């Protein structure tokens, strides 16, 4: 069993906003396993959600790039040493250029990216030059290229680059991509993703292990009620439905208008354009995770 240190209790408290003593009890019950301790607190109904606190080890930014035709894009995380540099336009601009290289040259990994051509040189040489100019170490932490054949992409950057995403939309008519109605819808959906951090675009895309894990928590909570098993099952399923509505993008209430869901917004936009607009997927990066 891992030692229950004050630092571990503090970390659990920051992650769950739960009382210090309850955190300590949960860690004892979970034998020092912080992830299991979170589940203990959730089962007890003390922790409602888990923050992603305490994972940032440095500073930096998340940048995105989407091609002019909206078909290809990339998201990239670039780290540095201080917040001052992390918000410097020269640094954030360089990160955006790196994202463009990823989108256009499709490197397999960070080493392949460093070998890519950039401004008549290589990414590695340009990165080294940027380190010398700014005077801080920098590192490409991760990136992902995104493309769509029949549709378009949209990106959104929040909190000065601490959160960013690329949303992928599919539709039948090529001209829909240029329509103002689609552009507004795509921007709003990308903003929604940054604001709410959904786990998937549709419930079918939620990993089976995530569904099983959530259901096990809800069943344990229902068991605490002492009600008949059939009622407990309905309670657990009801809470799972609530989970989908809260964490599945297309089922979420639109942050700008709670009377409509993202799926409802997609249907309205589809009707306006005489096309079928679908929110296919998204990539969300939160800096330091």
């Amino acid at each position: 069993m891992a030692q229950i240190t004050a630092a571990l209790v503090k970390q659990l408290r920051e992650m769950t906003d739960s009382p210090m003593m309850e955190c300590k009890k949960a860690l004892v019950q979970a034998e020092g396993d912080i992830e299991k301790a979170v589940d203990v607190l959730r089962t007890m109904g003390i922790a409602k959600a888990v923050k992603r606190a305490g994972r940032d080890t440095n500073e930096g930014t998340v940048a995105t790039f989407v091609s002019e035709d909206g078909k290809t894009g990339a998201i990239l995380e670039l780290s540095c040493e201080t917040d001052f540099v992390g918000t410097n336009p020269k640094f954030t601009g360089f990160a955006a250029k790196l994202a463009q290289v990823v989108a256009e040259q499709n490197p397999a990994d960070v080493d392949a990216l460093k070998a890519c051509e950039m401004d008549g040189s290589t990414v590695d040489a340009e990165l080294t030059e940027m380190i010398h100019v700014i005077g801080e170490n920098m590192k490409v932490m991760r990136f992902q290229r995104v493309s769509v054949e029949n549709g378009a992409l949209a990106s959104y950057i929040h909190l000065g680059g601490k959160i960013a995403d690329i949303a992928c939309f599919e539709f039948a008519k090529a001209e829909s991509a240029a329509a103002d109605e689609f552009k507004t819808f795509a921007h709003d959906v990308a903003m929604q993703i940054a604001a709410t951090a959904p786990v998937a675009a549709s419930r079918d895309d939620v990993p089976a292990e995530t569904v099983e894990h959530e259901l096990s928590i809800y069943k344990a909570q229902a068991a605490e009620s002492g009600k008949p098993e059939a009622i407990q099952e309905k309670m657990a399923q009801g809470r799972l439905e609530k989970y989908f509505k809260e964490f599945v993008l297309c089922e979420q209430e639109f942050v700008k208008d709670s009377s409509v869901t993202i799926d409802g917004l997609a249907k309205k936009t589809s009707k306006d354009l005489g096309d079928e607009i679908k929110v296919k997927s998204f990539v969300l990066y939160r800096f330091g995770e």
Side-chain angles (χ1 to χ4, degrees):
M1 176 173 144
Q3 188 181 356
I4 313 300
T5 63
L8 199 60
V9 174
K10 182 173 180 285
Q11 185 184 346
L12 183 59
R13 188 183 186 195
E14 287 174 353
M15 285 172 69
T16 62
D17 275 342
S18 301
M20 192 74 83
M21 287 309 295
E22 299 300 337
C23 288
K24 189 171 183 181
K25 286 178 192 172
L27 281 163
V28 169
Q29 190 175 328
E31 297 184 336
D33 186 317
I34 198 158
E35 297 297 333
K36 287 180 181 174
V38 169
D39 287 349
V40 170
L41 288 171
R42 288 186 64 199
T43 299
M44 291 162 64
I46 294 168
K48 290 181 182 176
V50 182
K51 289 183 184 175
R52 290 158 177 161
R55 295 190 186 178
D56 294 354
T57 54
N58 46 25
E59 297 295 336
T61 193
V62 179
T64 63
F65 171 82
V66 174
S67 61
E68 204 168 318
D69 65 3
K71 300 284 189 186
T72 312
I75 186 165
L76 177 140
E77 182 179 300
L78 183 68
S79 72
C80 59
E81 294 176 33
T82 64
D83 185 51
F84 178 75
V85 167
T87 55
N88 183 314
K90 186 175 281 189
F91 174 79
T92 56
F94 181 68
K97 283 175 73 175
L98 288 176
Q100 183 174 351
V101 171
V102 170
E104 295 176 347
Q105 300 184 45
N106 196 19
D109 52 30
V110 173
D111 286 338
L113 172 61
K114 287 181 178 180
C116 286
E117 190 275 331
M118 184 178 184
D119 295 340
S121 181
T122 63
V123 167
D124 195 32
E126 292 296 313
L127 181 61
T128 301
E129 177 64 17
M130 185 62 67
I131 289 168
H132 288 154
V133 169
I134 288 185
E136 281 195 16
N137 192 25
M138 297 172 197
K139 189 177 179 184
V140 176
M141 304 302 291
R142 54 180 171 156
F143 60 79
Q144 187 169 333
R145 184 177 185 268
V146 187
S147 63
V148 61
E149 192 172 338
N150 301 309
L153 306 172
S155 67
Y156 189 84
I157 294 175
H158 187 51
L159 296 176
K162 295 304 180 191
I163 301 172
D165 65 82
I166 293 181
C168 177
F169 304 87
E170 285 191 348
F171 42 80
K173 298 178 181 178
E175 59 266 29
S176 292
D180 288 340
E181 293 92 340
F182 170 72
K183 287 180 178 178
T184 299
F185 168 69
H187 174 270
D188 283 343
V189 171
M191 180 197 66
Q192 175 101 9
I193 292 163
T196 64
V199 296
S202 71
R203 67 168 67 189
D204 290 341
D205 295 328
V206 180
E209 58 269 25
T210 301
V211 175
E212 287 168 15
H213 178 76
E214 290 301 315
L215 197 53
S216 70
I217 296 289
Y218 304 143
K219 283 180 178 178
Q221 289 174 342
E224 296 286 322
S225 70
K227 291 181 180 177
E229 207 168 301
I231 302 293
Q232 289 180 28
E233 183 64 30
K234 284 182 180 177
M235 287 170 66
Q237 289 297 333
R239 283 170 182 165
L240 185 62
E241 281 296 315
K242 191 177 176 184
Y243 170 84
F244 286 140
K245 284 177 171 56
E246 188 174 348
F247 292 105
V248 170
L249 176 62
C250 287
E251 298 187 35
Q252 286 180 337
E253 292 179 352
F254 180 33
V255 291
K256 286 185 176 179
D257 180 3
S258 61
S259 71
V260 65
T261 63
I262 294 298
D263 188 50
L265 202 61
K267 285 173 180 168
K268 181 183 180 301
T269 307
S270 297
K271 188 177 179 182
D272 291 344
L273 294 174
D275 199 353
E276 189 179 359
I277 313 293
K278 286 185 178 178
V279 184
K280 189 67 178 171
S281 60
F282 63 87
V283 181
L284 171 67
Y285 276 15
R286 298 166 79 102
F287 182 80
E289 288 185 5

